[in-house]
Amino acid sequence: MNVKGKAIKYGHNVDTDVIIPARYLNTTDEKELASHCMEDLDKTFPSRVASANGTVMVAGRNFGCGSSREHAPLAIKAAGVSCVIAEDFARIFYRNSINIGLPIIESPEAVAGIDDGDEVEVNFDKGIVRNVTKSKEFKIAPFPPFLQAIIAAGGLLAAAEKNVLK
Amino acid sequence: MGMTMSQKILAAHCGREEVKAGEIVMARLDLVLGNDVTAPVAIKEYAKTKAPAVFDCNKIALVMDHFAPNKDIKAAEQCKIVREFAREKGITNFFDVGEMGVEHALLPEKGLVGSGDLVIGADSHTCTYGALGAFSTGVGSTDMAYGMATGTAWFKVPSAIKFVLKNKPGKWVSGKDIILHIIGMIGVNGAQYKSMEFTGDGLSHLSMDDRLCMANMAIEAGAKNGIFEVDEKTEEYEKAHGRKRTVVYKADPDAEYDRTIEIDLSAVKPTVAFPHLPENTKTIDEVGEIRIDQVVIGSCTNGRLEDFEIAAAIMKGKKVHKGCRVLIIPATQEIYLQALKKGLLEIFIDAGCAVSTPTCGPCLGGHMGILAKGERAVATTNRNFVGRMGHVESEVYLASPAVAAASAIAGKIASPDEI
């Protein structure tokens, strides 16, 4: 799998309350959630994603901390983000992303080497993040095989249906 | 190699002699929890599993607590989805307005969770039940859906940090101050992906309400779970709440911990977390002059009987500061009733507080006490992120019920000793 897009970069401890504020949790409609994604931190987010030809979100430590709301990765995915690269993720956000099929990457090196607005390409099969703008490459560690099976199937329930969970 | 308490519970639930940190296991669940925010997403996903029935209609708990009593039409529709699902699937532990409470106060009280259990909940504060010696952790709605269908979930076996609690805490120091002190020390990702295991002779000085509060906030240090060693107090609590037996998993003497941290409880001071992270802690003597507009005493962190007893003792015969709005939210109907019978609610109402039916309400900026631009609140809740209780330019200061009650009287963040 390959994805590419323009980087939108944030700092440390981006919590799920700013990814999707609780006042919008009275719906499960993904498009509506996406329209409010990140608005308490960055009102330009939905329009930047909409105008870009692909978006890769980049962030610091502990991305997605706080509430377990799956609405957070759902909103990011539905907004049109193709991958989130962070130094590391809060654990519930990490498993939620894998479970719903939102590609995520933990790589402090890649985060340090990507600035807001850079063109980024990710080759998951080769385990490489490429910063096209700066002509830099970063190796990424593969997921454990169990998680790879979920990711390859497109999420936990799809993996269960294909009977690949072992 | 020996195992931690958390690892032993996981091993027992996947039929293994031993599990090791870092490996991924599928484990059998004792309870799957969801609420009116997370269950609707899970129900949508559940439909995709094409499961003929839920794995066990007695091992799923659905609690309408976040936006209930319903704050608007959309929230009402969400609750309706869950209500209908519960009826259709014959789910016995469905709690609606009138019998519901804030989920993490309600489930232990009802004896639905207990020592040795493996519990997942589509709510990050599911880690609360570790106070009873359960392995209990927050997950998302897809995990909840899969859990409801199969009675299992995948877990990456966590490594752990051991907290050895020593000595007796001083006056006005509660579980809230201890856990804020710890989060201030290790940071909001200080226990990321790990278990926080609490042990030591200091445990004997901590009530179950203290422990429930501390385990509740393990997630605020990024932990997968927080767990307390089971003792007589756990057993007493479980017996009083209808659990048939107390199951004890002690860590092996040679269990491997990433770190061991000793906490001298006698040295912990009343502690306040400043905006906008729970790790931004200051002791009460360092806070300075912080004027406040609102006080919230409630939530899954500090909405239990002991919390209201402490707050009432401070507020008795006094009036809340003019211009300060004070919300008292007992976390369950039972706590509400006990507070009523003990005369606590009368003390609060005489002091000028508003007393509410159980709800998560203002804690997550849902309803019942939203802050305007520039307003500040002292809350006994668990998060003070940007916009958590309302406007993005409002502020939440996390504190114990004692500090919250004292602040309500003073109109600024205050120590109970000043009142």
Side-chain angles (χ1 to χ4, degrees), chain B residues 57-84:
Chain B
C57 61
N58 298 315
K59 291 186 175 177
I60 294 168
L62 300 170
V63 187
M64 305 299 93
D65 58 359
H66 276 58
F67 296 156
N70 297 139
K71 68 162 184 152
D72 55 25
I73 295 168
K74 281 182 171 177
E77 297 292 343
Q78 299 281 90
C79 280
K80 194 174 168 205
I81 291 170
V82 185
R83 197 174 293 125
E84 286 172 354

Side-chain angles (χ1 to χ4, degrees), chain B residues 342-356:
Chain B
K342 285 175 173 255
L344 309 181
L345 300 189
E346 202 176 325
I347 293 171
F348 292 131
I349 292 170
D350 279 344
C353 307
V355 180
S356 160

Side-chain angles (χ1 to χ4, degrees), chain A residues 22-99:
Chain A
R23 57 186 178 275
Y24 303 119
L25 298 184
N26 55 3
T27 181
T28 60
D29 183 79
E30 292 171 17
K31 284 208 177 77
E32 200 179 333
L33 292 171
S35 71
H36 298 294
C37 189
M38 301 301 291
E39 74 174 31
D40 281 357
L41 188 65
D42 175 10
K43 287 213 177 343
T44 68
F45 178 80
S47 61
R48 282 183 74 186
V49 179
S51 63
N53 186 20
T55 297
V56 172
M57 235 170 142
V58 181
R61 285 190 302 274
N62 204 24
F63 185 87
C65 61
S67 159
S68 69
R69 59 190 70 158
E70 204 160 286
H71 312 65
L74 283 172
I76 290 173
K77 193 180 174 193
V81 170
S82 51
C83 176
V84 185
I85 306 173
E87 289 181 33
D88 59 32
F89 292 88
R91 59 159 285 276
I92 304 177
F93 187 93
Y94 179 96
R95 67 183 292 136
N96 284 349
S97 300
I98 287 166
N99 284 343

